[in-house]
């Protein structure tokens, strides 16, 4: 409980995030607007398109997060530094 995950964006990959068990919060950030969603139903998911920063946090004890990804793992697709992400969104990188 209480853990945090994410804190990155993807250049090409799309994801569907689902709370299979328990609950957690997801904040999505496009560099201008941030929105927070509480995931707590296994029949609902949050679709995250490429180029969106995501933070997952406030996991309940025993929560299970399932993420379905559009692509296989590729480290080059990740943006892990928020300042670099803002440059990427503004077309500076």
């Amino acid at each position: 409980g209480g853990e945090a995950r994410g804190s990155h964006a993807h250049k090409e990959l799309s994801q569907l995030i689902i709370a299979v068990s328990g609950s957690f919060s997801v904040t999505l950030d496009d560099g201008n607007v941030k929105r927070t969603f509480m995931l707590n139903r296994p029949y609902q998911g949050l679709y995250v398109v490429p180029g969106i920063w995501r933070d997952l946090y406030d996991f309940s004890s025993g929560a299970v997060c399932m993420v379905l990804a559009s692509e296989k793992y590729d480290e080059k697709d990740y943006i892990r530094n928020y300042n670099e992400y803002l440059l990427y969104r503004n077309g500076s990188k």
Side-chain angles (χ1 to χ4, degrees):
E3 290 298 316
R5 306 268 311 147
S7 294
H8 65 271
H10 291 280
K11 298 173 186 173
E12 301 293 330
L13 181 114
S14 297
Q15 293 180 321
L16 181 62
I17 303 171
I18 302 165
V20 175
S21 178
S23 64
F24 53 90
S25 295
V26 180
T27 296
L28 300 181
D29 178 352
D30 69 0
N32 293 308
V33 177
K34 293 181 182 183
R35 289 195 57 196
T36 300
F37 303 87
M38 168 65 81
L39 297 182
N40 59 5
R41 293 180 173 92
Y43 55 85
Q44 291 181 331
L46 184 62
Y47 181 65
V48 184
V49 297
I52 302 294
W53 188 267
R54 81 277 332 267
D55 289 300
L56 288 71
Y57 57 94
D58 200 22
F59 284 80
S60 66
S61 182
V64 176
C65 172
M66 178 172 66
V67 179
L68 304 175
S70 64
E71 306 292 330
K72 291 183 179 181
Y73 175 81
D74 180 359
E75 180 60 34
K76 294 179 293 214
D77 187 57
Y78 280 77
I79 305 170
R80 297 184 186 273
N81 177 286
Y82 189 73
N83 289 329
E84 289 178 17
Y85 168 71
L86 292 176
L87 291 172
Y88 174 82
R89 287 295 293 187
N90 291 325
S92 300
K93 252 189 172 180

